[in-house]
Amino acid sequence: MTYSHEVDAMCPVAQGVAHGCAPIPEEAKWVKAKEIKDISGFTHGVGWCAPQQGACKLSLNIKEGVIQEALVETLGCSGMTHSAAMAAEILPGRTILEALNTDLVCDAINTAMRELFLQIVYGRSQSAFSEDGLAIGAGLEDLGKGLRSQLGTMYGTLAKGPRYLEMTDGYVTDLALNADDEIIGYKFVNFGKMMDFIKNGDDANTALEKARGQYGRVADAVKFIDPRKQ
């Protein structure tokens, strides 16, 4: 190791208190993390691309510094879905430091990895106080029925008002309006459930009807409108 002339000329002075790093909560334990292998937990990061056209939610399950499970959800950019497909192949098996320094193709996914790294190394994980952490596969629990990402898509204009297009429940087919043309509920189709019904042998029309649902004061509606056409 090379020292500058100024440092080399200094006399030694003993260091006083040195209690080490502060412990962080990890899977129901308090851990003084000094190396990458000291990090375990399940957590999330949200990232965005340079033009802020798209966003990514990245969820990783990490055991002893190594990524065991990755869930990559993207929104707003068609190209990002292909980058996410690559990231899902790249991430498992890498340490979190490798992942931080790996080109995950898309700005938003790289940013999500950076934000997730900050969460996990400071002990801000979903499994911080869960004994032995979360099982591999916990990432799928973040998804809705039929393993579809939970999305909300709403649109509104001053001239024509709001339109609910997609809820966590599913694809909105009808908006329920009262006598003042205010939204009081909606009908929807859960595509995840619908596809499961089809895979289990139902024809498309039967599956569609079985996957329908409603929310709110639908029974009190004066009229219904299709939010995509009316």
Side-chain angles (χ1 to χ4, degrees), residues 9 21 36 49 76 81 113 132 152 166 206 217:
C21 58
I36 291 298
C49 60
T81 60
M113 183 63 226
D132 296 325
E166 185 96 20
T206 301
R217 293 166 35 226

Side-chain angles (χ1 to χ4, degrees), residues 10-214:
M10 293 177 182
C11 63
V13 175
Q15 287 182 273
V17 176
H19 52 66
C21 58
I24 60 175
E26 290 185 24
E27 301 185 343
K29 299 185 293 289
W30 289 98
V31 177
K32 288 190 174 183
K34 298 180 181 179
E35 301 178 25
I36 291 298
K37 64 180 179 63
D38 296 329
I39 300 293
S40 294
F42 180 88
T43 196
H44 317 275
V46 174
W48 53 94
C49 60
Q52 301 191 37
Q53 180 183 358
C56 168
K57 176 191 170 191
L58 177 63
S59 304
L60 298 182
N61 203 343
I62 299 159
K63 303 293 184 183
E64 297 180 348
V66 178
I67 298 167
Q68 302 293 331
E69 174 187 17
L71 172 65
V72 192
E73 299 174 89
T74 64
L75 174 71
C77 172
S78 57
M80 195 190 301
T81 60
H82 296 276
S83 299
M86 295 178 66
E89 293 191 44
I90 291 169
L91 288 169
R94 294 183 180 270
T95 69
I96 54 172
L97 186 59
E98 284 181 301
L100 187 66
N101 290 286
T102 295
D103 182 7
L104 298 175
V105 186
C106 168
D107 279 352
I109 303 174
N110 282 308
T111 302
M113 183 63 226
R114 181 194 71 196
E115 297 299 309
L116 185 149
F117 185 88
L118 293 175
Q119 293 287 322
I120 197 77
V121 298
Y122 283 118
R124 298 186 181 98
S125 69
Q126 189 172 317
S127 57
F129 300 103
S130 301
E131 191 170 352
D132 296 325
L134 299 181
I136 310 304
L140 295 180
E141 295 177 9
D142 273 16
L143 301 175
K145 297 292 184 181
L147 300 185
R148 285 173 56 86
S149 294
Q150 300 182 72
L151 295 173
T153 307
M154 314 301 157
Y155 179 72
T157 61
L158 180 60
K160 300 296 182 178
R163 299 293 188 277
Y164 301 171
L165 302 174
E166 185 96 20
M167 291 285 195
T168 298
D169 307 304
Y171 175 97
V172 178
T173 58
D174 300 273
L175 294 181
L177 305 183
N178 63 14
D180 296 321
D181 287 334
E182 297 168 327
I183 299 172
I184 58 172
Y186 54 87
K187 296 180 180 180
F188 62 87
V189 173
N190 187 308
F191 282 155
K193 289 183 178 180
M194 179 178 169
M195 291 306 299
D196 284 343
F197 290 140
I198 291 173
K199 286 187 288 185
N200 289 332
D202 288 339
D203 64 79
N205 288 330
T206 301
L208 176 63
E209 292 307 312
K210 289 171 68 173
R212 290 187 185 276
Q214 62 185 45

